[in-house]
Amino acid sequence: MNLDTSVFYTNNTSDIVLFYKETIGFHFEGQNGDYYASFLFPNGAKLGIKKADKEREVPGAQTV
């Protein structure tokens, strides 16, 4: 099984984007304001960081 996309939820998109860019070094693909950011894993899979705005989107949780 190959992972295609994973989405993590957060309350603070700006801090998380800096973490994945500067601390972990993931390739930054783009950002839609403070709402969503996208990164690429080394194997080409995508990591989405989304600002939690729905009841089911719990910061610290993820959707694969």
Side-chain angles (χ1 to χ4, degrees):
M1 178 169 94
N2 292 325
L3 176 69
D4 179 66
T5 304
S6 181
V7 178
F8 292 176
Y9 303 109
T10 184
N11 285 327
N12 188 329
T13 308
S14 299
D15 286 348
I16 296 298
V17 166
L18 287 176
F19 174 76
Y20 281 103
K21 280 172 72 173
E22 296 179 8
T23 304
I24 296 186
F26 280 177
H27 175 74
F28 181 65
E29 190 174 47
Q31 189 167 354
N32 182 0
D34 191 37
Y35 181 72
Y36 186 83
S38 181
F39 293 88
L40 291 176
F41 287 106
N43 69 354
K46 291 189 178 195
L47 169 63
I49 306 294
K50 182 181 179 297
K51 186 168 186 164
D53 64 355
K54 294 180 175 65
E55 187 176 331
R56 67 176 178 82
E57 298 173 346
V58 178
Q62 65 278 339
T63 300
V64 178

